[in-house]
Amino acid sequence: MDERVDEKILDFINEAEEKELRKDITNGLVKINNKFYEFEETEFFDGALKIYIPNTFEDMSEESRKFKYPSENRPEIIKCNEDGSIAITLKIIDSPLDDDHIEEIKGIMKLITQRLNPANIYFDEGIIEVDKKNIGYFDYKSSAIDDFLYNVMFFLEFQGKTLMGTFSCGYSEYKQWKDDIVFQILKTIKINKEVCSENN
C-alpha cells in the first residue's frame, strides 16, 4: 500500500479522534491545541452565575492582574491557566441593562475598543440565546507587548446591570478555541434567579 495513502488515512483518523475529544466541554476531557482540559461548572458572584471553565484555571495573581490589566477598572474575576496566557474574565458594570438592549451595548463596546485600539482586526459578532437570555458578543485580534491576542467580549443582563466577560488567548492558539470551545463556554452560562433576588 502507498505510504502516502497510509499517512492520509492516519491523518484522517487522528483528525476524527481529535474532533471526538473536542466535542463536549460538559462531558469529560477536551483536547485543545494538544493539551487536555477538564471543564467544570464554576460558581461566581456568590452562586448567582454559573459557567463551565477549565478546572485548572485559577485566580490570576495580584501582580499579573496589575500588569495585564493596568487600568484600576480591571475585572473583578480573572481566571487563567498556569502562565496567564489564556484567561476568562467577568465584570459587573454599574450600568442598567435589559435583554432588549444587548445589541446596543454590544455596538457601543465594539466602538470603544475600536477607538482605543484602531489596529484591532474584528471577525464575528452577534447575539445568541442561552438559558432564555440574550448574550451579545464580538471577537477580534489585538496586539500585546510581544504577541497578538485573540479576544472574545460578551455581554448580558445580570441583576439588572451589565455583565461583561472576556476570553483571551495567544493568537497562535485561537483557531481551536474559537472553532470548538468559546461558544460552548458561553452556552453553559446560567443565572441562578433565586440567588439574584436574594442578593438584590
Side-chain angles (χ1 to χ4, degrees):
M1 195 177 189
D2 190 326
E3 257 180 50
R4 277 169 309 175
V5 174
D6 255 3
E7 272 174 29
K8 276 185 178 165
I9 290 168
L10 275 175
D11 284 349
F12 177 76
I13 290 166
N14 286 340
E15 210 175 290
E17 278 178 356
E18 278 203 15
K19 277 213 168 112
E20 259 330 285
L21 282 165
R22 289 205 313 256
K23 226 173 217 171
D24 182 0
I25 66 169
T26 65
N27 185 15
L29 286 173
V30 176
K31 189 178 182 185
I32 309 162
N33 296 318
N34 296 319
K35 282 185 191 150
F36 287 94
Y37 295 87
E38 190 167 357
F39 285 72
E40 236 168 50
E41 189 171 56
T42 310
E43 294 187 349
F44 297 103
F45 306 115
D46 300 324
L49 182 135
K50 293 178 183 179
I51 181 170
Y52 272 79
I53 66 168
N55 62 3
T56 50
F57 277 26
E58 293 191 344
D59 291 320
M60 187 177 274
S61 72
E62 204 53 46
E63 199 182 321
S64 299
R65 281 167 176 257
K66 286 178 177 168
F67 177 73
K68 196 164 178 180
Y69 302 90
S71 158
E72 284 304 316
N73 205 13
R74 65 183 68 88
E76 295 108 289
I77 292 163
I78 306 171
K79 293 281 187 185
C80 63
N81 64 340
E82 260 173 72
D83 63 4
S85 62
I86 304 168
I88 291 168
T89 76
L90 297 168
K91 179 176 179 59
I92 297 170
I93 301 170
D94 199 7
S95 166
L97 182 66
D98 59 46
D99 258 16
D100 298 335
H101 291 88
I102 299 290
E103 180 76 54
E104 203 176 310
I105 190 85
K106 172 175 70 72
I108 291 166
M109 293 308 287
K110 185 176 176 188
L111 208 57
I112 290 169
T113 61
Q114 283 171 321
R115 281 188 184 151
L116 289 173
N117 296 292
N120 286 351
I121 296 164
Y122 291 82
F123 305 118
D124 301 321
E125 62 180 284
I127 291 178
I128 53 175
E129 192 180 307
V130 178
D131 198 29
K132 298 187 178 155
K133 289 193 77 61
N134 287 333
I135 299 178
Y137 71 88
F138 59 86
D139 63 342
Y140 60 97
K141 177 184 180 182
S142 64
S143 55
I145 293 160
D146 53 0
D147 195 8
F148 288 103
L149 295 178
Y150 171 67
N151 310 273
V152 181
M153 285 187 102
F154 57 94
F155 315 90
L156 63 146
E157 177 277 323
F158 178 68
Q159 298 180 343
K161 295 176 182 172
T162 304
L163 177 70
M164 181 175 94
T166 68
F167 167 85
S168 64
C169 67
Y171 191 72
S172 58
E173 291 209 45
Y174 102 96
K175 196 162 181 357
Q176 286 194 353
W177 283 99
K178 172 167 176 153
D179 283 356
D180 286 311
I181 305 302
V182 179
F183 288 99
Q184 280 197 63
I185 291 172
L186 294 189
K187 285 171 183 170
T188 65
I189 290 175
K190 277 189 195 140
I191 307 284
N192 186 336
K193 293 180 181 71
E194 282 170 30
V195 175
C196 284
S197 54
E198 280 168 25
N199 291 347
N200 280 340

